[in-house]
Amino acid sequence: MTEAPAEHVLLIGLPKSANVFIRNTLMETLGLQSATFVIPGVRQIVNPMALFNFVEGPPAVGGQHMAPDDYNLDLLDGAGLHRIVLLVRDPRDALVSWWHHL
């Protein structure tokens, strides 16, 4: 199994302020491009061709919110994306968001 290039960063999460800040900071400080490979509105499924273009393309920050199901995880594994960064949201922030939106 091959590894994806180390210059690629997979950032999974909703486009909330912290994730957008981290993505933009990585792009600016490391000179990375932005890439998306999840089919919008379709159960958060990874588009295999877009994922291939991400891995084979120039160094980039890729991903959006995606389901951690067998299909997506198998695609990420097959693409050589084995390093994962998990962003854990501050529970206080989640509570404020829940109160604000619901």
Side-chain angles (χ1 to χ4, degrees):
M1 180 103 25
T2 62
E3 288 281 328
E7 300 83 19
H8 288 70
V9 177
L10 182 59
L11 182 62
I12 306 298
L14 293 169
K16 300 283 186 175
S17 60
N19 289 354
V20 171
F21 175 79
I22 292 168
R23 183 195 67 213
N24 290 349
T25 301
L26 289 170
M27 289 172 56
E28 292 297 322
T29 58
L30 301 176
L32 303 176
Q33 296 182 9
S34 178
T36 59
F37 44 81
V38 175
I39 302 171
V42 183
R43 211 177 49 88
Q44 305 160 349
I45 295 174
V46 172
N47 176 336
M49 184 52 86
L51 179 62
F52 174 80
N53 291 337
F54 166 69
V55 172
E56 294 297 317
V61 176
Q64 333 58 305
H65 194 259
M66 67 179 69
D69 57 21
D70 290 339
Y71 175 81
N72 287 339
L73 294 174
D74 286 346
L75 282 174
L76 296 177
D77 183 49
L81 294 166
H82 301 123
R83 293 176 302 273
I84 298 173
V85 175
L86 176 63
L87 300 177
V88 179
R89 190 172 184 191
D90 183 329
R92 295 168 296 181
D93 181 43
L95 192 60
V96 169
S97 182
W98 175 76
W99 176 81
H100 178 74
H101 293 293
L102 300 177

